[in-house]
Short mmCIF file of all heavy atoms in Angstrom, two decimals:
data_model
loop_
_atom_site.label_atom_id
_atom_site.label_comp_id
_atom_site.label_asym_id
_atom_site.label_seq_id
_atom_site.Cartn_x
_atom_site.Cartn_y
_atom_site.Cartn_z
N MET A 1382 57.26 -73.14 -2.42
CA MET A 1382 57.70 -73.75 -1.16
C MET A 1382 56.50 -74.45 -0.39
O MET A 1382 56.65 -75.46 0.12
CB MET A 1382 58.44 -72.81 -0.26
CG MET A 1382 59.09 -73.45 0.85
SD MET A 1382 60.39 -72.35 1.44
CE MET A 1382 61.13 -73.42 2.58
N TYR A 1383 55.38 -73.69 -0.37
CA TYR A 1383 54.21 -74.22 0.26
C TYR A 1383 53.76 -75.57 -0.31
O TYR A 1383 53.46 -76.52 0.31
CB TYR A 1383 53.11 -73.19 0.37
CG TYR A 1383 51.87 -73.56 1.04
CD1 TYR A 1383 51.97 -73.73 2.47
CD2 TYR A 1383 50.69 -73.87 0.39
CE1 TYR A 1383 50.74 -74.05 3.14
CE2 TYR A 1383 49.58 -74.24 1.13
CZ TYR A 1383 49.60 -74.27 2.45
OH TYR A 1383 48.46 -74.73 3.16
N ILE A 1384 53.85 -75.55 -1.68
CA ILE A 1384 53.39 -76.78 -2.39
C ILE A 1384 54.24 -77.96 -2.07
O ILE A 1384 53.92 -79.03 -1.83
CB ILE A 1384 53.27 -76.54 -3.84
CG1 ILE A 1384 52.11 -75.49 -4.18
CG2 ILE A 1384 53.01 -77.88 -4.69
CD1 ILE A 1384 52.01 -74.98 -5.62
N LEU A 1385 55.58 -77.66 -2.03
CA LEU A 1385 56.56 -78.75 -1.77
C LEU A 1385 56.26 -79.31 -0.31
O LEU A 1385 56.41 -80.43 -0.13
CB LEU A 1385 57.90 -78.18 -1.81
CG LEU A 1385 58.43 -77.90 -3.32
CD1 LEU A 1385 59.81 -77.28 -3.22
CD2 LEU A 1385 58.34 -79.12 -4.15
N THR A 1386 56.00 -78.43 0.60
CA THR A 1386 55.67 -78.82 1.98
C THR A 1386 54.44 -79.80 2.06
O THR A 1386 54.45 -80.85 2.68
CB THR A 1386 55.51 -77.60 2.91
OG1 THR A 1386 56.63 -76.83 2.84
CG2 THR A 1386 55.19 -78.06 4.33
N ILE A 1387 53.45 -79.47 1.35
CA ILE A 1387 52.21 -80.27 1.19
C ILE A 1387 52.59 -81.53 0.65
O ILE A 1387 52.12 -82.61 1.10
CB ILE A 1387 51.09 -79.58 0.49
CG1 ILE A 1387 50.67 -78.28 1.24
CG2 ILE A 1387 49.99 -80.54 0.22
CD1 ILE A 1387 49.68 -77.45 0.53
N LEU A 1388 53.37 -81.62 -0.43
CA LEU A 1388 53.66 -82.93 -1.06
C LEU A 1388 54.61 -83.68 -0.11
O LEU A 1388 54.39 -84.93 -0.03
CB LEU A 1388 54.51 -82.62 -2.35
CG LEU A 1388 53.60 -81.97 -3.54
CD1 LEU A 1388 54.56 -81.68 -4.68
CD2 LEU A 1388 52.59 -82.93 -3.96
N ALA A 1389 55.48 -83.10 0.56
CA ALA A 1389 56.34 -83.87 1.53
C ALA A 1389 55.46 -84.42 2.68
O ALA A 1389 55.74 -85.60 3.05
CB ALA A 1389 57.45 -82.97 2.10
N ILE A 1390 54.52 -83.67 3.12
CA ILE A 1390 53.63 -84.24 4.16
C ILE A 1390 52.83 -85.39 3.63
O ILE A 1390 52.71 -86.42 4.25
CB ILE A 1390 52.75 -83.06 4.77
CG1 ILE A 1390 53.65 -82.12 5.54
CG2 ILE A 1390 51.62 -83.67 5.66
CD1 ILE A 1390 52.87 -80.80 5.85
N ALA A 1391 52.36 -85.29 2.41
CA ALA A 1391 51.58 -86.34 1.86
C ALA A 1391 52.37 -87.59 1.68
O ALA A 1391 51.90 -88.70 1.98
CB ALA A 1391 51.01 -85.90 0.46
N ASP A 1392 53.58 -87.43 1.26
CA ASP A 1392 54.57 -88.51 1.09
C ASP A 1392 54.80 -89.22 2.41
O ASP A 1392 54.84 -90.44 2.55
CB ASP A 1392 55.80 -88.13 0.42
CG ASP A 1392 55.72 -87.81 -1.06
OD1 ASP A 1392 54.61 -88.20 -1.67
OD2 ASP A 1392 56.55 -87.14 -1.58
N LEU A 1393 55.03 -88.37 3.48
CA LEU A 1393 55.32 -88.89 4.76
C LEU A 1393 54.07 -89.76 5.31
O LEU A 1393 54.23 -90.86 5.87
CB LEU A 1393 55.66 -87.72 5.76
CG LEU A 1393 55.95 -88.18 7.17
CD1 LEU A 1393 57.00 -89.14 7.19
CD2 LEU A 1393 56.18 -86.90 8.02
N GLU A 1394 52.93 -89.23 5.10
CA GLU A 1394 51.73 -89.88 5.54
C GLU A 1394 51.54 -91.27 4.85
O GLU A 1394 51.20 -92.27 5.42
CB GLU A 1394 50.45 -89.13 5.26
CG GLU A 1394 50.39 -87.93 6.16
CD GLU A 1394 49.26 -86.92 5.98
OE1 GLU A 1394 48.55 -86.99 4.91
OE2 GLU A 1394 48.95 -86.03 6.75
N LYS A 1395 51.89 -91.33 3.53
CA LYS A 1395 51.88 -92.58 2.84
C LYS A 1395 52.87 -93.59 3.44
O LYS A 1395 52.54 -94.78 3.57
CB LYS A 1395 52.13 -92.40 1.31
CG LYS A 1395 50.97 -91.76 0.58
CD LYS A 1395 51.34 -91.54 -0.82
CE LYS A 1395 50.34 -90.69 -1.57
NZ LYS A 1395 50.72 -90.39 -2.95
N MET A 1396 54.04 -93.08 3.71
CA MET A 1396 55.13 -93.97 4.28
C MET A 1396 54.70 -94.42 5.65
O MET A 1396 54.99 -95.58 6.03
CB MET A 1396 56.38 -93.20 4.37
CG MET A 1396 57.01 -92.95 3.04
SD MET A 1396 58.57 -91.82 3.08
CE MET A 1396 59.21 -92.18 4.66
N MET A 1397 54.08 -93.63 6.44
CA MET A 1397 53.68 -94.03 7.85
C MET A 1397 52.60 -95.09 7.83
O MET A 1397 52.51 -95.79 8.83
CB MET A 1397 53.31 -92.76 8.67
CG MET A 1397 54.43 -91.83 8.92
SD MET A 1397 55.91 -92.61 9.70
CE MET A 1397 55.19 -93.02 11.33
N ASP A 1398 51.84 -95.14 6.80
CA ASP A 1398 50.75 -96.15 6.68
C ASP A 1398 51.34 -97.52 6.59
O ASP A 1398 50.72 -98.58 6.95
CB ASP A 1398 49.92 -95.92 5.51
CG ASP A 1398 48.99 -94.80 5.66
OD1 ASP A 1398 48.71 -94.40 6.80
OD2 ASP A 1398 48.42 -94.30 4.59
N LYS A 1399 52.72 -97.63 6.32
CA LYS A 1399 53.30 -98.96 6.14
C LYS A 1399 53.83 -99.43 7.52
O LYS A 1399 54.28 -100.61 7.61
CB LYS A 1399 54.54 -98.85 5.23
CG LYS A 1399 54.14 -98.47 3.77
CD LYS A 1399 55.35 -98.31 2.91
CE LYS A 1399 55.01 -97.77 1.52
NZ LYS A 1399 56.18 -97.61 0.70
N TYR A 1400 53.94 -98.54 8.45
CA TYR A 1400 54.49 -98.91 9.81
C TYR A 1400 53.40 -98.96 10.94
O TYR A 1400 52.51 -98.13 10.83
CB TYR A 1400 55.60 -97.90 10.20
CG TYR A 1400 56.74 -97.91 9.27
CD1 TYR A 1400 56.96 -96.94 8.33
CD2 TYR A 1400 57.67 -98.90 9.29
CE1 TYR A 1400 58.00 -96.89 7.41
CE2 TYR A 1400 58.77 -98.93 8.46
CZ TYR A 1400 58.97 -97.94 7.62
OH TYR A 1400 59.96 -97.92 6.64
N GLU A 1401 53.57 -99.83 11.81
CA GLU A 1401 52.82 -99.86 13.05
C GLU A 1401 53.65 -99.48 14.15
O GLU A 1401 54.77 -100.03 14.38
CB GLU A 1401 52.27 -101.26 13.29
CG GLU A 1401 51.41 -101.31 14.62
CD GLU A 1401 50.96 -102.67 14.84
OE1 GLU A 1401 51.14 -103.68 14.04
OE2 GLU A 1401 50.44 -102.93 15.92
N ILE A 1402 53.40 -98.38 14.87
CA ILE A 1402 54.11 -97.93 15.98
C ILE A 1402 53.79 -98.70 17.25
O ILE A 1402 52.59 -98.82 17.63
CB ILE A 1402 53.95 -96.41 16.21
CG1 ILE A 1402 54.39 -95.65 14.99
CG2 ILE A 1402 54.68 -95.90 17.46
CD1 ILE A 1402 54.06 -94.17 14.98
N ILE A 1403 54.75 -99.32 17.85
CA ILE A 1403 54.53 -100.18 19.13
C ILE A 1403 55.41 -99.60 20.16
O ILE A 1403 56.37 -98.99 19.95
CB ILE A 1403 54.76 -101.59 18.80
CG1 ILE A 1403 56.24 -101.90 18.53
CG2 ILE A 1403 53.88 -102.22 17.75
CD1 ILE A 1403 56.65 -103.36 18.53
N LYS A 1404 54.98 -99.91 21.39
CA LYS A 1404 55.80 -99.57 22.57
C LYS A 1404 56.68 -100.80 22.90
O LYS A 1404 56.09 -101.87 23.09
CB LYS A 1404 55.01 -99.25 23.74
CG LYS A 1404 54.09 -97.91 23.54
CD LYS A 1404 53.22 -97.61 24.73
CE LYS A 1404 52.57 -96.32 24.56
NZ LYS A 1404 51.72 -96.01 25.82
N ILE A 1405 57.90 -100.56 23.02
CA ILE A 1405 58.82 -101.63 23.45
C ILE A 1405 58.48 -102.20 24.76
O ILE A 1405 58.53 -103.44 25.01
CB ILE A 1405 60.32 -101.18 23.40
CG1 ILE A 1405 60.77 -100.77 21.92
CG2 ILE A 1405 61.23 -102.21 24.05
CD1 ILE A 1405 60.81 -101.98 21.03
N ALA A 1406 57.97 -101.36 25.62
CA ALA A 1406 57.56 -101.76 26.96
C ALA A 1406 56.34 -102.76 26.98
O ALA A 1406 56.25 -103.70 27.76
CB ALA A 1406 57.10 -100.60 27.81
N GLU A 1407 55.57 -102.74 25.89
CA GLU A 1407 54.46 -103.76 25.68
C GLU A 1407 54.89 -104.87 24.78
O GLU A 1407 54.15 -105.83 24.67
CB GLU A 1407 53.31 -102.95 25.13
CG GLU A 1407 52.69 -101.97 26.07
CD GLU A 1407 51.66 -101.12 25.39
OE1 GLU A 1407 51.31 -101.26 24.32
OE2 GLU A 1407 51.12 -100.14 26.18
N HIS A 1408 56.02 -104.79 24.10
CA HIS A 1408 56.49 -105.78 23.14
C HIS A 1408 57.94 -106.00 23.33
O HIS A 1408 58.77 -105.81 22.34
CB HIS A 1408 56.14 -105.40 21.72
CG HIS A 1408 54.67 -105.28 21.50
ND1 HIS A 1408 53.91 -106.28 21.14
CD2 HIS A 1408 53.87 -104.20 21.47
CE1 HIS A 1408 52.66 -105.91 20.94
NE2 HIS A 1408 52.60 -104.62 21.15
N SER A 1409 58.39 -106.46 24.41
CA SER A 1409 59.84 -106.50 24.76
C SER A 1409 60.58 -107.57 23.87
O SER A 1409 61.74 -107.58 23.72
CB SER A 1409 60.02 -106.85 26.18
OG SER A 1409 59.40 -108.11 26.62
N GLU A 1410 59.77 -108.48 23.22
CA GLU A 1410 60.38 -109.38 22.23
C GLU A 1410 61.05 -108.68 21.16
O GLU A 1410 61.95 -109.30 20.43
CB GLU A 1410 59.33 -110.36 21.72
CG GLU A 1410 58.31 -109.73 20.83
CD GLU A 1410 56.99 -109.17 21.51
OE1 GLU A 1410 57.11 -108.90 22.71
OE2 GLU A 1410 55.94 -108.92 20.82
N TRP A 1411 60.86 -107.46 20.86
CA TRP A 1411 61.49 -106.69 19.71
C TRP A 1411 62.73 -105.98 20.26
O TRP A 1411 63.44 -105.39 19.43
CB TRP A 1411 60.41 -105.63 19.20
CG TRP A 1411 59.39 -106.25 18.40
CD1 TRP A 1411 58.10 -106.61 18.83
CD2 TRP A 1411 59.53 -106.76 17.07
NE1 TRP A 1411 57.38 -107.13 17.80
CE2 TRP A 1411 58.18 -107.34 16.68
CE3 TRP A 1411 60.46 -106.81 16.10
CZ2 TRP A 1411 58.02 -107.94 15.48
CZ3 TRP A 1411 60.23 -107.32 14.87
CH2 TRP A 1411 59.04 -107.89 14.57
N LEU A 1412 63.00 -106.03 21.49
CA LEU A 1412 64.20 -105.40 22.05
C LEU A 1412 65.46 -105.68 21.36
O LEU A 1412 66.42 -104.89 21.21
CB LEU A 1412 64.27 -105.54 23.57
CG LEU A 1412 65.27 -104.72 24.28
CD1 LEU A 1412 65.11 -103.12 24.08
CD2 LEU A 1412 65.33 -104.98 25.77
N SER A 1413 65.56 -106.99 20.94
CA SER A 1413 66.85 -107.42 20.29
C SER A 1413 66.94 -107.03 18.81
O SER A 1413 67.98 -106.81 18.26
CB SER A 1413 67.02 -108.90 20.42
OG SER A 1413 65.93 -109.60 19.79
N GLN A 1414 65.77 -106.82 18.21
CA GLN A 1414 65.72 -106.45 16.81
C GLN A 1414 65.64 -104.96 16.49
O GLN A 1414 66.05 -104.43 15.47
CB GLN A 1414 64.65 -107.14 16.08
CG GLN A 1414 64.81 -108.63 16.07
CD GLN A 1414 63.61 -109.35 15.53
OE1 GLN A 1414 62.60 -108.81 15.35
NE2 GLN A 1414 63.77 -110.67 15.37
N ALA A 1415 64.94 -104.18 17.44
CA ALA A 1415 64.67 -102.84 17.12
C ALA A 1415 65.90 -102.00 17.01
O ALA A 1415 65.99 -101.14 16.00
CB ALA A 1415 63.75 -102.27 18.31
N PRO A 1416 66.94 -102.06 17.82
CA PRO A 1416 68.12 -101.25 17.60
C PRO A 1416 68.73 -101.50 16.22
O PRO A 1416 69.17 -100.46 15.63
CB PRO A 1416 69.07 -101.70 18.76
CG PRO A 1416 68.16 -102.32 19.76
CD PRO A 1416 67.06 -102.93 19.01
N GLU A 1417 68.71 -102.61 15.72
CA GLU A 1417 69.31 -102.90 14.38
C GLU A 1417 68.50 -102.13 13.29
O GLU A 1417 69.05 -101.51 12.37
CB GLU A 1417 69.25 -104.39 14.00
CG GLU A 1417 69.75 -104.71 12.63
CD GLU A 1417 71.09 -104.36 12.38
OE1 GLU A 1417 72.01 -104.39 13.29
OE2 GLU A 1417 71.49 -104.11 11.15
N TRP A 1418 67.09 -102.18 13.46
CA TRP A 1418 66.33 -101.39 12.45
C TRP A 1418 66.55 -99.95 12.45
O TRP A 1418 66.84 -99.28 11.44
CB TRP A 1418 64.82 -101.75 12.76
CG TRP A 1418 63.92 -101.11 11.75
CD1 TRP A 1418 63.41 -101.68 10.63
CD2 TRP A 1418 63.26 -99.86 11.77
NE1 TRP A 1418 62.65 -100.91 10.02
CE2 TRP A 1418 62.41 -99.71 10.63
CE3 TRP A 1418 63.35 -98.80 12.70
CZ2 TRP A 1418 61.79 -98.58 10.38
CZ3 TRP A 1418 62.67 -97.58 12.35
CH2 TRP A 1418 61.82 -97.50 11.34
N PHE A 1419 66.66 -99.36 13.72
CA PHE A 1419 66.96 -97.94 13.78
C PHE A 1419 68.38 -97.60 13.25
O PHE A 1419 68.53 -96.63 12.63
CB PHE A 1419 66.77 -97.45 15.26
CG PHE A 1419 65.41 -97.29 15.64
CD1 PHE A 1419 64.70 -98.18 16.36
CD2 PHE A 1419 64.63 -96.18 15.20
CE1 PHE A 1419 63.40 -98.03 16.79
CE2 PHE A 1419 63.31 -95.93 15.59
CZ PHE A 1419 62.74 -96.90 16.33
N HIS A 1420 69.38 -98.52 13.57
CA HIS A 1420 70.69 -98.35 13.15
C HIS A 1420 70.76 -98.21 11.60
O HIS A 1420 71.52 -97.43 11.04
CB HIS A 1420 71.55 -99.40 13.65
CG HIS A 1420 72.94 -99.43 13.06
ND1 HIS A 1420 73.87 -98.45 13.23
CD2 HIS A 1420 73.45 -100.31 12.24
CE1 HIS A 1420 74.96 -98.80 12.51
NE2 HIS A 1420 74.75 -99.87 11.92
N GLN A 1421 70.05 -99.15 10.93
CA GLN A 1421 69.96 -99.23 9.53
C GLN A 1421 69.39 -97.98 8.92
O GLN A 1421 69.79 -97.48 7.85
CB GLN A 1421 69.24 -100.44 8.98
CG GLN A 1421 69.98 -101.68 9.24
CD GLN A 1421 69.27 -102.95 8.74
OE1 GLN A 1421 68.15 -102.76 8.18
NE2 GLN A 1421 69.73 -104.12 9.10
N LYS A 1422 68.43 -97.32 9.59
CA LYS A 1422 67.76 -96.14 9.03
C LYS A 1422 68.55 -94.86 9.20
O LYS A 1422 68.65 -94.04 8.33
CB LYS A 1422 66.35 -95.95 9.74
CG LYS A 1422 65.42 -97.10 9.61
CD LYS A 1422 65.04 -97.18 8.07
CE LYS A 1422 64.01 -98.36 7.90
NZ LYS A 1422 63.95 -98.85 6.58
N TRP A 1423 69.31 -94.76 10.33
CA TRP A 1423 69.94 -93.51 10.68
C TRP A 1423 71.38 -93.62 10.99
O TRP A 1423 72.01 -92.68 11.46
CB TRP A 1423 69.16 -92.82 11.76
CG TRP A 1423 67.81 -92.37 11.27
CD1 TRP A 1423 67.50 -91.41 10.44
CD2 TRP A 1423 66.55 -92.94 11.54
NE1 TRP A 1423 66.16 -91.22 10.20
CE2 TRP A 1423 65.47 -92.28 10.91
CE3 TRP A 1423 66.16 -94.06 12.40
CZ2 TRP A 1423 64.24 -92.63 10.93
CZ3 TRP A 1423 64.84 -94.36 12.49
CH2 TRP A 1423 63.82 -93.63 11.72
N GLN A 1424 71.98 -94.79 11.00
CA GLN A 1424 73.35 -95.16 11.18
C GLN A 1424 73.94 -94.60 12.50
O GLN A 1424 75.13 -94.21 12.64
CB GLN A 1424 74.28 -94.45 9.99
CG GLN A 1424 74.07 -95.13 8.65
CD GLN A 1424 72.77 -94.83 8.02
OE1 GLN A 1424 72.31 -93.75 7.92
NE2 GLN A 1424 72.10 -95.83 7.54
N ILE A 1425 73.11 -94.52 13.45
CA ILE A 1425 73.50 -94.33 14.79
C ILE A 1425 73.80 -95.66 15.48
O ILE A 1425 73.10 -96.64 15.21
CB ILE A 1425 72.47 -93.53 15.71
CG1 ILE A 1425 72.28 -92.08 14.97
CG2 ILE A 1425 72.76 -93.42 17.16
CD1 ILE A 1425 71.14 -91.35 15.57
N PRO A 1426 74.89 -95.78 16.29
CA PRO A 1426 75.21 -97.11 16.77
C PRO A 1426 74.11 -97.86 17.44
O PRO A 1426 73.37 -97.25 18.18
CB PRO A 1426 76.35 -96.76 17.76
CG PRO A 1426 76.88 -95.51 17.35
CD PRO A 1426 75.80 -94.76 16.74
N LYS A 1427 74.11 -99.13 17.21
CA LYS A 1427 72.98 -99.99 17.78
C LYS A 1427 73.05 -99.94 19.29
O LYS A 1427 72.00 -99.87 19.99
CB LYS A 1427 73.11 -101.46 17.39
CG LYS A 1427 72.80 -101.62 15.91
CD LYS A 1427 72.97 -103.10 15.50
CE LYS A 1427 74.41 -103.28 15.24
NZ LYS A 1427 74.65 -104.69 14.62
N SER A 1428 74.20 -99.75 19.88
CA SER A 1428 74.40 -99.70 21.26
C SER A 1428 73.70 -98.51 21.95
O SER A 1428 73.16 -98.57 23.05
CB SER A 1428 75.85 -99.73 21.68
OG SER A 1428 76.60 -98.64 21.15
N ALA A 1429 73.73 -97.44 21.12
CA ALA A 1429 73.01 -96.19 21.72
C ALA A 1429 71.51 -96.40 21.79
O ALA A 1429 70.87 -95.99 22.69
CB ALA A 1429 73.36 -95.04 20.83
N TYR A 1430 70.92 -97.03 20.75
CA TYR A 1430 69.54 -97.30 20.76
C TYR A 1430 69.18 -98.39 21.84
O TYR A 1430 68.19 -98.12 22.57
CB TYR A 1430 69.05 -97.92 19.37
CG TYR A 1430 68.97 -96.84 18.33
CD1 TYR A 1430 69.85 -96.78 17.24
CD2 TYR A 1430 68.00 -95.85 18.45
CE1 TYR A 1430 69.72 -95.79 16.28
CE2 TYR A 1430 67.94 -94.88 17.53
CZ TYR A 1430 68.76 -94.83 16.34
OH TYR A 1430 68.72 -93.90 15.45
N LEU A 1431 70.01 -99.36 21.89
CA LEU A 1431 69.67 -100.39 22.93
C LEU A 1431 69.69 -99.85 24.29
O LEU A 1431 68.89 -100.05 25.17
CB LEU A 1431 70.71 -101.63 22.84
CG LEU A 1431 70.46 -102.75 23.74
CD1 LEU A 1431 69.08 -103.33 23.61
CD2 LEU A 1431 71.57 -103.87 23.55
N GLU A 1432 70.78 -99.03 24.63
CA GLU A 1432 70.91 -98.36 25.86
C GLU A 1432 69.72 -97.50 26.14
O GLU A 1432 69.11 -97.54 27.27
CB GLU A 1432 72.16 -97.49 25.95
CG GLU A 1432 72.43 -96.77 27.25
CD GLU A 1432 73.68 -95.98 27.19
OE1 GLU A 1432 74.59 -96.33 26.45
OE2 GLU A 1432 73.68 -94.90 27.74
N SER A 1433 69.23 -96.76 25.14
CA SER A 1433 68.09 -95.83 25.38
C SER A 1433 66.75 -96.67 25.67
O SER A 1433 66.01 -96.33 26.54
CB SER A 1433 67.90 -95.01 24.12
OG SER A 1433 66.70 -94.23 24.20
N MET A 1434 66.59 -97.79 24.88
CA MET A 1434 65.43 -98.58 25.05
C MET A 1434 65.37 -99.32 26.36
O MET A 1434 64.39 -99.36 27.09
CB MET A 1434 65.36 -99.58 23.89
CG MET A 1434 65.10 -99.07 22.62
SD MET A 1434 65.19 -100.33 21.29
CE MET A 1434 65.01 -99.15 19.86
N GLU A 1435 66.52 -99.78 26.76
CA GLU A 1435 66.66 -100.41 28.16
C GLU A 1435 66.39 -99.42 29.25
O GLU A 1435 65.66 -99.75 30.22
CB GLU A 1435 67.98 -101.09 28.29
CG GLU A 1435 68.12 -102.32 27.46
CD GLU A 1435 69.46 -102.88 27.57
OE1 GLU A 1435 70.48 -102.27 27.87
OE2 GLU A 1435 69.63 -104.16 27.26
N ALA A 1436 66.80 -98.19 29.12
CA ALA A 1436 66.63 -97.19 30.13
C ALA A 1436 65.18 -96.83 30.17
O ALA A 1436 64.56 -96.61 31.26
CB ALA A 1436 67.39 -95.95 29.82
N SER A 1437 64.55 -96.75 29.05
CA SER A 1437 63.05 -96.48 28.85
C SER A 1437 62.29 -97.59 29.56
O SER A 1437 61.25 -97.22 30.22
CB SER A 1437 62.67 -96.35 27.47
OG SER A 1437 61.25 -96.04 27.36
N LEU A 1438 62.74 -98.81 29.51
CA LEU A 1438 61.95 -99.92 30.15
C LEU A 1438 62.10 -99.84 31.61
O LEU A 1438 61.13 -100.20 32.38
CB LEU A 1438 62.47 -101.22 29.61
CG LEU A 1438 62.22 -101.64 28.19
CD1 LEU A 1438 62.89 -102.91 27.82
CD2 LEU A 1438 60.66 -101.84 27.97
N LYS A 1439 63.24 -99.36 32.14
CA LYS A 1439 63.47 -99.26 33.57
C LYS A 1439 62.74 -98.03 34.19
O LYS A 1439 62.30 -98.12 35.30
CB LYS A 1439 64.98 -99.24 33.87
CG LYS A 1439 65.69 -100.51 33.64
CD LYS A 1439 67.12 -100.36 33.84
CE LYS A 1439 67.88 -101.59 33.42
NZ LYS A 1439 69.33 -101.48 33.51
N ASN A 1440 62.60 -97.03 33.39
CA ASN A 1440 62.02 -95.71 33.85
C ASN A 1440 60.60 -95.71 33.24
O ASN A 1440 60.42 -95.60 32.02
CB ASN A 1440 62.83 -94.57 33.38
CG ASN A 1440 62.32 -93.22 33.84
OD1 ASN A 1440 61.37 -93.21 34.68
ND2 ASN A 1440 62.80 -92.12 33.34
N HIS A 1441 59.70 -95.66 34.15
CA HIS A 1441 58.28 -95.76 33.67
C HIS A 1441 57.59 -94.38 33.40
O HIS A 1441 56.44 -94.22 33.60
CB HIS A 1441 57.42 -96.66 34.69
CG HIS A 1441 57.89 -98.02 34.68
ND1 HIS A 1441 57.67 -98.90 33.64
CD2 HIS A 1441 58.53 -98.69 35.58
CE1 HIS A 1441 58.28 -100.07 33.96
NE2 HIS A 1441 58.74 -99.98 35.19
N SER A 1442 58.41 -93.44 33.06
CA SER A 1442 57.92 -92.06 32.90
C SER A 1442 57.22 -91.98 31.46
O SER A 1442 57.55 -92.94 30.62
CB SER A 1442 58.95 -91.02 32.98
OG SER A 1442 59.94 -91.17 31.99
N VAL A 1443 56.53 -91.03 31.13
CA VAL A 1443 55.86 -90.91 29.87
C VAL A 1443 56.78 -90.80 28.64
O VAL A 1443 56.52 -91.38 27.63
CB VAL A 1443 54.87 -89.80 29.94
CG1 VAL A 1443 54.20 -89.54 28.54
CG2 VAL A 1443 53.84 -89.93 31.02
N ILE A 1444 57.89 -90.02 28.90
CA ILE A 1444 58.81 -89.83 27.73
C ILE A 1444 60.12 -90.25 28.12
O ILE A 1444 60.64 -90.02 29.31
CB ILE A 1444 58.92 -88.33 27.40
CG1 ILE A 1444 57.54 -87.85 26.99
CG2 ILE A 1444 59.84 -88.05 26.34
CD1 ILE A 1444 57.32 -86.34 26.82
N PRO A 1445 60.99 -90.97 27.32
CA PRO A 1445 60.61 -91.47 26.03
C PRO A 1445 59.93 -92.87 26.18
O PRO A 1445 60.05 -93.51 27.14
CB PRO A 1445 62.04 -91.58 25.33
CG PRO A 1445 62.92 -91.88 26.45
CD PRO A 1445 62.46 -91.18 27.69
N GLN A 1446 59.29 -93.11 25.00
CA GLN A 1446 58.59 -94.50 25.04
C GLN A 1446 59.20 -95.24 23.87
O GLN A 1446 58.73 -96.16 23.34
CB GLN A 1446 57.09 -94.28 24.91
CG GLN A 1446 56.55 -93.61 26.18
CD GLN A 1446 55.04 -93.66 26.18
OE1 GLN A 1446 54.37 -94.39 25.47
NE2 GLN A 1446 54.50 -92.83 26.99
#
């Protein structure tokens, strides 16, 4: 089990190298496309992501970003 965990972490690290994490607050031009991307990955309604992102833009607290 320990070996599988190490392999899973290594695979995750390789996958994360393909992505650049950005803050929607600093790149609001992505606000129309980001909910679609998340929806395709996890099948949660786009409206839920959009609502969350818009709320995050209005609320300048640290979490969520």
Side-chain angles (χ1 to χ4, degrees):
M1382 186 159 194
Y1383 183 69
I1384 294 171
L1385 291 176
T1386 302
I1387 292 171
L1388 292 174
I1390 291 171
D1392 289 343
L1393 180 60
E1394 289 174 350
K1395 288 178 189 175
M1396 288 173 31
M1397 292 306 293
D1398 287 342
K1399 297 177 186 178
Y1400 296 104
E1401 177 183 354
I1402 298 172
I1403 63 168
K1404 294 180 180 182
I1405 293 294
E1407 295 173 2
H1408 298 277
S1409 60
E1410 67 272 16
W1411 288 99
L1412 188 59
S1413 62
Q1414 297 173 350
E1417 176 65 30
W1418 185 88
F1419 283 102
H1420 169 69
Q1421 289 178 8
K1422 299 294 179 199
W1423 292 286
Q1424 290 72 49
I1425 295 173
K1427 290 180 276 188
S1428 59
Y1430 284 111
L1431 183 59
E1432 181 181 326
S1433 175
M1434 291 175 188
E1435 288 175 338
S1437 180
L1438 289 174
K1439 292 177 186 174
N1440 181 8
H1441 298 287
S1442 65
V1443 178
I1444 301 174
Q1446 295 191 18

